[in-house]
Amino acid sequence: MPPRLFLLRTRPAARLALGWLLLLVIVGALAPWLPLPYAPTTPDLLQVAASPATSSGHYLGTDSLGRDVLAGLVAGARRLVLLTLPAVALAILLGTLAGAAAGFWGNRRLRLPLAAIGWALAATWWGLRLPGVAFLCGLLGISAALTLLTWRAARHPTGHRRYTCALPLDGMVLGIITLLGSVPRLILLVALAAGPPLATPQLLALLALLAWPEAARLVRGQMHWVRAQPFMEAAQASGLPLSRIWWRHALPHACRPLLAFGPLSLAGLVGLESALAFLGIGQGPDVVSWGSQLASVRHDTTAWWVAVFPGLALFLTLLALQKLAKLASSAVHK
Amino acid sequence: MWRWLFGRLARAAGFAWLITSLVFIVSRQLPGGPDQLAVADLSESGRLGAAAQAAGSQQVVRLAVRRRLGLELPVFYVTRAGGQWQWHGTANQYHHWAVAVLHGDLGRSYRDGQPVGTLLREALRFTLPLAASAAGLAAGLALGLGLYLARRPGSVGARLLGGLLNGLQVTPLFLLALGLLLLLANPEFLNLLPAAGQAPAASSGGHLVVYWLGRAALPLLSLVLTVLPELTLPLVANLRHEATTGYATTARAKGLPVGQMLRRHALPNALLPLLTTLTDLLPALVAGTVVVEVLFALPGSGRLLAEAAAAHDYPLVVAGVLLTALARLLGLLLADMLNFLIDPRLRPSA
């Protein structure tokens, strides 16, 4: 893509930002194979709170428990690559699908045949082993009758809308978004992580759960704009099925703002995850991240190097992500 | 108008109740409940002898604690046990909790058995003034900064301030607050303000007020700085947009200075979109107090919530979520009222 490469060549700040992020990803991905003299969690009890100038072998010093700061930085980068990045990817995927579906189908346009709802209900009833066999039999009977009726009605030229009911997709998605938004993300995260320490997949799922509404809202808004475009009418007039129009024609256009939104969303989640680690909630004592490193400076405020390096890494990452978002949005609007 | 407002509030209150209920149910399913804490406590303090630490007596302790806290009941109206769905009627934890909360009883803390309501009230006496003064200060500063930045877009000062605000926008609150703590309240560096420790024991009311003002200065500064960009940057954009419109040109043509034109004519129009941020401002401040109070060791509700979460003290956590949701409700109400006051066009007719 020539225009974007051109932007890269002209703006040194953007190149710096991209370089830093690339470095982080490479370090995070290769962390287990890097030749580091110390592990992030094993304390070096001979050199506790040693400054970078006086200690031997600890290039960035050690914290008040004797853990190597450089190894901690690398472990934090690895956590970024293994936890936050997949969480953002999952959140954007979920949010895009939900928001695009809600924006395209709205409350009225998606009509499900009543028979399908009946069959699905019966299958759920049976799958969950809910009590009441008579009810299940009744449900199956009604579903069968509806299927027959729908099949007969479909032979009429105008009968295919009979025995269907609209699924309020937009209302459902908006309801879930409002529900998750009625408490700030940090508070909800603290409350849901209040149990015993979470494993990485659980924390990943939790972060994705908290992050998807933003992407969904953005894509939904863009989808409203896309639906008003003339090519949508043209696609419908040419007789394409709605699902195909949605997937092939509307979705790619609705995803355009995500290019600038992705880095910002990632920055938000990095901040959120670091804040949780900083508060020490839902984390095992042996997990090292930038947030937990920053928290450990409170035990010994004279050891400035424990706070400065992770703080700088975090700040630079967030700044680079913001720069990347600006770059992407200017590339999109060009 | 009142009916519309009431409907909106009722919806928001419903959602607040729903999310609190969800957190309640999730928290009751989590392991690490009070019974396990009690067992761990007992075996640590050595009150149980080596022989008595057998699995049997642990089971007894666990059961006793569960019965005392009402945890032996099923969690919800319907539960599934052993592949069978069971209906429990009103004899379940959620029903008891909901009835108690609606009567104003938030339950008791798992850790020390104190009523959650009392604990929260004590803590709020500290947090409410902190959050309210942060909101007021931030709003005032945002107005002033916005007007200044909109008046001289290209000047060196405006550019510096804009860059600073952009930098602040990406900095998470805990990083900002930690930086302030290490710079301004550090015996190794500048030790300007007290940041931790006990209040002076034998001192009069006046001294105590001065002491707490000193303690609250840095947290207040962090909170203000962290919400300032979100308030200021949109305001500046709005003001600059309004300054290009026709009525602004007319005002300038009749001889008004730029500052007065911005204040008198552009500001009322530019202010309106800012009011919607108010809905998010109050909950954001409540979330901010969690970080700030932990870091600066202030005895407020945020620290209460964070410590409760770290110690698996679920009744306090659930109450904290409810409180935050109510803060958002209040913000919503405030934003709507101000919108109605400022712009009559927004009132839905009939």
Side-chain angles (χ1 to χ4, degrees), chain B residues 104-181:
Chain B
D105 174 18
L106 290 168
R108 281 174 182 276
S109 159
Y110 282 168
R111 274 179 299 175
D112 46 11
Q114 288 196 49
V116 170
T118 320
L119 284 174
L120 270 183
R121 216 172 299 133
E122 293 276 312
L124 276 180
R125 272 195 5 221
F126 199 90
T127 301
L128 272 186
L130 182 69
S133 49
L137 257 177
L141 261 178
L143 276 186
L145 275 180
L147 283 173
Y148 173 76
L149 286 178
R151 195 186 324 183
R152 299 201 188 85
S155 71
V156 180
R159 267 206 221 141
L160 265 179
L161 260 177
L164 199 66
L165 283 176
N166 268 329
L168 277 179
Q169 200 179 18
V170 296
T171 318
L173 173 61
F174 76 94
L175 195 58
L176 180 73
L178 190 67
L180 286 178
L181 177 75

Side-chain angles (χ1 to χ4, degrees), chain B residues 26-301:
Chain B
V26 167
S27 74
R28 291 292 162 112
Q29 311 275 6
L30 290 174
D35 46 337
Q36 289 167 30
L37 292 187
V39 168
D41 248 20
L42 281 181
S43 41
E44 247 176 46
S45 61
R47 264 182 283 167
L48 288 175
Q53 282 196 17
S57 69
Q58 280 195 9
Q59 204 63 36
V60 171
V61 171
R62 193 166 287 187
L63 271 180
V65 172
R66 290 186 77 85
R67 186 158 305 147
R68 182 162 58 77
L69 295 170
L71 292 179
E72 86 280 15
L73 291 175
V75 175
F76 199 58
Y77 296 99
V78 191
T79 55
R80 188 174 178 192
Q84 287 289 317
W85 288 88
Q86 281 176 344
W87 171 257
H88 303 289
T90 55
N92 65 68
Q93 291 183 43
Y94 177 75
H95 186 81
H96 287 308
W97 171 80
V99 168
V101 167
L102 291 179
H103 284 87
D105 174 18
L106 290 168
R108 281 174 182 276
S109 159
Y110 282 168
R111 274 179 299 175
D112 46 11
Q114 288 196 49
V116 170
T118 320
L119 284 174
L120 270 183
R121 216 172 299 133
E122 293 276 312
L124 276 180
R125 272 195 5 221
F126 199 90
T127 301
L128 272 186
L130 182 69
S133 49
L137 257 177
L141 261 178
L143 276 186
L145 275 180
L147 283 173
Y148 173 76
L149 286 178
R151 195 186 324 183
R152 299 201 188 85
S155 71
V156 180
R159 267 206 221 141
L160 265 179
L161 260 177
L164 199 66
L165 283 176
N166 268 329
L168 277 179
Q169 200 179 18
V170 296
T171 318
L173 173 61
F174 76 94
L175 195 58
L176 180 73
L178 190 67
L180 286 178
L181 177 75
L182 289 182
L183 284 181
L184 299 180
N186 193 345
E188 295 293 303
F189 204 71
L190 284 174
N191 199 5
L192 297 179
L193 295 160
Q198 291 283 318
S203 58
S204 61
H207 277 125
L208 219 57
V209 167
V210 170
Y211 172 79
W212 281 114
L213 278 182
R215 279 287 293 275
L218 278 181
L220 193 63
L221 187 64
S222 335
L223 281 181
V224 168
L225 284 181
T226 196
V227 294
L228 199 56
E230 271 143 77
L231 291 175
T232 312
L233 293 175
L235 180 65
V236 173
N238 285 341
L239 274 176
R240 282 188 189 154
H241 170 74
E242 295 295 332
T244 58
T245 53
Y247 71 84
T249 317
T250 312
R252 289 279 290 141
K254 75 179 186 189
L256 271 187
V258 184
Q260 212 169 349
M261 181 275 290
L262 282 174
R263 244 190 340 268
R264 288 272 179 81
H265 297 263
L267 189 60
N269 287 321
L271 210 55
L272 214 50
L274 201 67
L275 288 181
T276 35
T277 21
L278 200 67
T279 322
D280 296 327
L281 181 67
L282 282 187
L285 279 176
V286 173
T289 55
V290 173
V291 171
V292 165
E293 287 175 357
V294 167
L295 187 57
F296 292 100
L298 296 173
S301 65

Side-chain angles (χ1 to χ4, degrees), chain A residues 127-131 174-176 178-188 190-197 270-272 274-276 278-282 290-291 294-295 297-298 301-304 307-308 310-312 314-315 318-319 322 326, chain B residues 11-12 14-16 18-19 22-23 26-27 30-32 80 83-85 166-172 174-175 178 181-182 186-188 280 283-284 286-288 290-291 294-295 305-314 317 320-321 324-325 328:
Chain A
L128 289 178
R129 276 159 239 264
L130 290 167
L174 273 187
I176 299 176
T178 320
L179 181 67
L180 287 175
S182 52
V183 173
R185 291 200 300 186
L186 181 64
I187 300 276
L188 203 54
V190 163
L192 291 179
V270 168
L272 200 64
S274 309
L276 192 70
F278 181 76
L279 292 173
I281 295 165
W290 294 344
L294 282 168
V297 79
R298 286 182 294 166
T301 46
T302 55
W304 54 266
V308 166
L312 210 60
L314 185 60
F315 182 70
L318 297 178
L319 208 61
Q322 197 199 31
K326 273 189 186 161
Chain B
R11 258 176 65 106
F15 277 118
L18 205 59
I19 192 87
L22 276 179
V23 170
V26 167
S27 74
L30 290 174
R80 188 174 178 192
Q84 287 289 317
W85 288 88
N166 268 329
L168 277 179
Q169 200 179 18
V170 296
T171 318
F174 76 94
L175 195 58
L178 190 67
L181 177 75
L182 289 182
N186 193 345
E188 295 293 303
D280 296 327
V286 173
V290 173
V291 171
V294 167
L295 187 57
L305 178 61
E307 282 179 351
H312 318 315
D313 193 352
Y314 301 130
V317 171
V321 171
T324 321
R328 186 174 172 279

